[in-house]
Amino acid sequence: MDLKRVVVTGLGALTPVGNTVAETWKSLLEGKSGAAPITRFDASKFKTQFACEVKGFDPLAHFDRKELRRYDRYSQLAVVAAREAIKDSVQDPDTLDKDNVGVIISAGIGGLETLEQEISAYNEERGPRFSPFFVPKMIADMAAGFVSMEYGFRGPNYSVASACASSTNAIIDATMLIRLGKASMIVAGGSEAAVTFSAIGGFSALNALSTRNDAPEKASRPFSKSRDGFVLGEGSAILVLEELEHALARGAKIYAEVAGFGLSADAYHLTASHPEGYGAKLVMRRALEDSGLKAEDIDYINMHGTSTPVGDLSEVKAICDVFGKDAYRLNLSSTKSMTGHLLGAAGALEALVVVKSVQEDIIPPTINHEEGDDDPEIDAKLNFTFNKPQKREIRAAISNTFGFGGHNASAVFKKYKG
């Protein structure tokens, strides 16, 4: 059977550097860091005392008090970002065939703050008095459920859990379903709100987080010799994916085309990347194959680039192996240097960044690289788009995401041509 073409027709975002797509994109091009001391709980006793929180977000501006009893923060962020994406794509959702519109919104963790609150409130002497909303607020599929219920979308509806690759997997699943004709449109992406004491404590115990408490805004520094771990972030990013003919028939604007994707596993370690980037090589090669593109057709890679010593190096090795001499022609960047690591929502945000880059022919930078801080194990001839954005024609670009457990997912976006 002939596979249908898939395009991006709507974008929504609520991130540590902006509460809309426009604000987020502007901040990224300006090289603005979203890292700051944690405000959501007292982190003074933790090794890491900062994160990339969403700022200036008032839930009561978007939900009434009764509604909020049902929403964990991760669902709040997802619904608000989805509203922006859907409005961006279609002015009147009631004109759609809602039986054929799906929602796939993923989280790597889900309602962690709710879990903490409910367990902390438990008292053995008093006995169990859990909220009736505890379980639905906590589970990671509920954001997708809320969006489908708000709009009446009755197509495929679920969440995917693959750690930090979760929302890239959501986009890939949406692409596959639309290609196969199982839906005409899918609202896809991710949300995460894990700036909580247990997440900061847990990642700190793994020695995964930067401890640069004296200068949080400079803590995420991918590919630099002095990198010492990632910065935890929160937020949501949503893409509206649509079958091309369906989009054309209703006169939708098209940001970019989903060219293809790759999936692989490291099959190596609980948390660490394969040191030679084996799974990363495999996933990018599969993404190129699925898209029908060659190494020379790619102009930009938004790297997973978490600012960890092992992870950054293994991804660089993989890119050099897959792209060969073309690796030196590429622009590479890690926008996690500004947004922090949104865990299960990272892939969707970085896919959104790639879509905007393809649309506008500009690459946001990797910030915080300082003179004399080159990593001797990383080829200095590679272009990591350090500190300033760069203009160039972008025909096609890749978004890489790799998750704990060795889960790898890459999505390829290209300029739409009729």
Side-chain angles (χ1 to χ4, degrees):
M1 65 179 290
D2 292 330
L3 297 177
K4 299 180 184 295
R5 292 169 68 183
V6 182
V7 292
V8 181
T9 62
L11 300 173
L14 187 53
T15 76
V17 295
N19 289 6
T20 64
V21 171
E23 289 178 7
T24 296
W25 185 238
K26 181 175 183 290
S27 293
L28 293 176
L29 294 183
E30 292 174 351
K32 179 180 177 181
S33 171
I38 290 169
T39 65
R40 297 198 57 77
F41 67 95
D42 180 3
S44 60
K45 295 181 180 179
F46 288 76
K47 287 193 299 183
T48 294
Q49 299 167 8
F50 60 93
C52 286
E53 298 175 330
V54 171
K55 300 163 189 69
F57 173 67
D58 178 9
L60 288 172
H62 303 278
F63 309 94
D64 63 39
R65 292 187 183 278
K66 185 176 179 180
E67 281 183 299
L68 284 174
R69 294 177 61 206
R70 303 182 297 156
Y71 284 77
D72 183 85
R73 183 175 172 86
Y74 100 94
S75 290
Q76 297 170 23
L77 302 179
V79 170
V80 172
R83 287 172 180 169
E84 183 186 13
I86 293 164
K87 184 177 181 180
D88 185 42
S89 177
V90 54
Q91 286 298 310
D92 184 4
D94 289 335
T95 61
L96 301 171
D97 175 3
K98 296 185 179 183
D99 289 353
N100 287 308
V101 180
V103 184
I104 307 174
I105 298 176
S106 292
I109 298 175
L112 185 59
E113 188 171 63
T114 292
L115 180 64
E116 287 182 0
Q117 290 170 350
E118 293 288 328
I119 291 176
S120 296
Y122 174 67
N123 183 296
E124 289 187 15
E125 293 182 5
R126 186 187 67 184
R129 294 184 184 178
F130 290 96
S131 165
F133 297 114
F134 169 35
V135 172
K137 284 176 70 174
M138 178 188 66
I139 54 180
D141 66 314
M142 195 49 65
F146 279 130
V147 173
S148 72
M149 287 183 276
E150 181 164 323
Y151 290 92
F153 295 156
R154 293 179 290 270
N157 183 262
Y158 57 94
S159 175
V160 182
S162 50
C164 303
S166 296
S167 54
T168 303
N169 277 114
I171 291 167
I172 289 170
D173 276 24
T175 298
M176 289 193 288
L177 289 166
I178 295 171
R179 279 181 172 184
L180 294 169
K182 304 299 183 183
S184 57
M185 176 189 286
I186 296 181
V187 180
S191 186
E192 204 80 89
V195 182
T196 69
F197 68 82
S198 63
I200 292 290
F203 284 119
S204 291
L206 288 170
N207 294 316
L209 297 179
S210 171
T211 57
R212 200 180 290 264
N213 294 310
D214 56 336
E217 71 282 357
K218 297 181 179 180
S220 184
R221 44 182 55 224
F223 321 119
S224 293
K225 183 180 179 181
S226 61
R227 65 190 185 275
D228 70 330
F230 74 85
V231 178
L232 185 62
E234 64 171 0
S236 179
I238 304 292
L239 287 69
V240 176
L241 303 186
E242 190 168 353
E243 192 271 317
L244 174 60
E245 295 304 320
H246 185 271
L248 293 174
R250 65 182 191 85
K253 69 176 176 297
I254 295 174
Y255 284 98
E257 182 169 358
V258 186
F261 59 83
L263 296 165
S264 77
D266 280 358
Y268 171 71
H269 189 272
L270 194 66
T271 58
S273 304
H274 190 285
E276 298 302 316
Y278 188 85
K281 297 176 191 178
L282 197 58
V283 77
M284 286 187 282
R285 288 188 175 121
R286 287 173 174 169
L288 289 171
E289 180 182 10
D290 183 66
S291 66
L293 299 174
K294 298 179 180 179
E296 56 263 34
D297 298 319
I298 304 298
D299 296 310
Y300 170 45
I301 299 177
N302 189 296
M303 296 174 64
H304 187 58
T306 57
S307 190
T308 57
V310 174
D312 286 8
L313 181 58
S314 67
E315 187 175 8
V316 170
K317 288 179 179 178
I319 288 170
C320 289
D321 190 74
V322 171
F323 286 86
K325 67 180 188 302
D326 281 295
Y328 300 95
R329 183 188 53 78
L330 292 167
N331 270 82
L332 308 169
S333 78
S334 171
T335 45
K336 287 187 180 73
S337 60
M338 296 173 278
T339 66
H341 191 350
L342 271 63
L343 305 180
L349 176 54
E350 288 150 23
L352 185 152
V353 168
V354 163
V355 167
K356 289 292 290 180
S357 293
V358 168
Q359 180 200 23
E360 298 191 9
D361 289 321
I362 190 166
I363 294 100
T366 305
I367 68 167
N368 293 327
H369 184 70
E370 299 172 351
E371 187 175 349
D373 200 17
D374 294 334
D375 186 333
E377 294 189 77
I378 293 177
D379 193 335
K381 294 179 182 178
L382 294 168
N383 182 3
F384 291 104
T385 321
F386 282 134
N387 298 325
K388 293 183 180 180
Q390 293 181 14
K391 291 281 292 184
R392 69 173 290 176
E393 180 187 9
I394 305 174
R395 299 162 297 162
I398 294 176
S399 176
N400 280 343
T401 45
F402 313 136
F404 280 5
H407 311 296
N408 306 310
S410 295
V412 186
F413 298 88
K414 66 181 182 181
K415 273 190 165 57
Y416 166 68
K417 296 180 180 179

